[in-house]
Amino acid sequence: MPHVTVRDESGEKAVELRDAVTRFGRASENAVVLAEKECSRQQFQIERFEGGWKLVDLESRNGTRVNGKYVNMHVLKSGDRIEVGKAVIVFDDAGPKPPAMADAPAATAPAPRAVARADRRSGHTTAVDRRREAHDDPRRGRRMLQVLGLAAGVFFALILVLIILAVLAGESPEIRRARGILDNARKLEGADPSRALILYESIQPSGGPFYKEAQARAAALRGRAAPPGRPSADSAEQQAFDALYDLRQKYPNRADDIVRACEEFKAKFPQSTYLNEVEKYLRVARDERAAARRRDVADAMETSKAALQEKDFSTAVLAVNRVYELYKLDIEFKQQIENEYARVVEAGRLHAREQDALAEQQRARGDLQEARRIITQLILALGDGSASEFEDQLKLARAKLDALKP
């Protein structure tokens, strides 16, 4: 039975892998609870699949190592050493072993099957036939070995492709993004170490094992000797740069604050030896700010579209108004937001006119209950008055509802 040997702060124990999936972690609901402070609540799981057993990291905080390397997915083999902090788990695929071969006398090679071709005149196998049969037997053996070798090559290639696909499918979007940033930063280390440092520092803890490598590389870059002419550690310039650096390190998503701090630093220290780094910080922050604004506007447009489909005009116009107030001076978004605003307001007012006419028809027919239901739904669609664009329509709807009361 395949099993693992677990060594952690609580001691050593052996656990058999009886289930198709066995989960490891610090939380008590896991099948195997690890007594290790660096372990996540759900650290990793070992799964059975057709080819054997594999380890899948559950996006743990500090990552999972197998044989000293951080992994997201790893096909296990006997003796693999899994490490989480100081805890060690050794995998043993203890399946049944084939029985030992008993000593047996060497078997003599079977005589080649000779298809005796009788001589028409004598009735005996001719010498020519015997030479042909002896020559054909090795040929058949070589052809068989070639076919088997080709089949084995195709099989192992297929297994390799499946393993690669499984590894790629197991990566989250955050990990894939971190891997891409890390690759770009490595290429820039020699030519532009400052830019490489910025990229390393932009990788978040959700990047899994790539976050740790990025932190180590960033520390190495920061540890290189500073160029001559840098200010002393207690100067106002150095303190201002340190504050800017800390802001980027601790709050990388606050692009507006970083842009503002970079511009203030440039204005206050126009001759600073840090200007190149500050310019790079500023460029990256502006790019990130633009990307964040595009995402924000796109989310608002999607919210507006969904609200219009639900006839929720108040929610739609409030979503558009929010991004308009934020980005009305940004020429990239101004026209798009104004067009959506006009579309939402016109749709809401048109809906109010249509529903008012429909309610009036029901009142004329004497169906006051249906008329009240139509006006009540209209009031809900126009909101609670927080959207001033529909204030007049909302007042008329409430007045009509009062007039329709029995």
Side-chain angles (χ1 to χ4, degrees), residues 27-47:
S28 59
E29 62 264 21
N30 292 289
V32 181
V33 178
L34 298 177
E36 168 56 44
K37 62 183 179 180
E38 294 187 17
C39 180
S40 297
R41 290 180 58 81
Q42 294 182 343
Q43 181 75 22
F44 67 89
Q45 62 189 31
I46 295 179
E47 304 175 4

Side-chain angles (χ1 to χ4, degrees), residues 158-170:
L158 180 61
I159 292 296
L160 181 61
V161 169
L162 291 175
I163 291 174
I164 292 173
L165 290 176
V167 170
L168 293 177

Side-chain angles (χ1 to χ4, degrees), residues 4 17 19-25 30-32 34 42-48 53-60 64 66 71-76 82 84 91:
V4 293
L17 303 176
D19 299 326
V21 177
T22 304
R23 184 165 293 177
F24 295 69
N30 292 289
V32 181
L34 298 177
Q42 294 182 343
Q43 181 75 22
F44 67 89
Q45 62 189 31
I46 295 179
E47 304 175 4
R48 183 191 297 124
W53 297 84
K54 65 181 178 181
L55 177 145
V56 179
D57 183 78
L58 301 175
E59 297 189 6
S60 57
T64 303
V66 177
V71 299
N72 295 316
M73 194 283 290
H74 180 78
V75 177
L76 294 168
I82 306 165
V84 179
F91 175 77

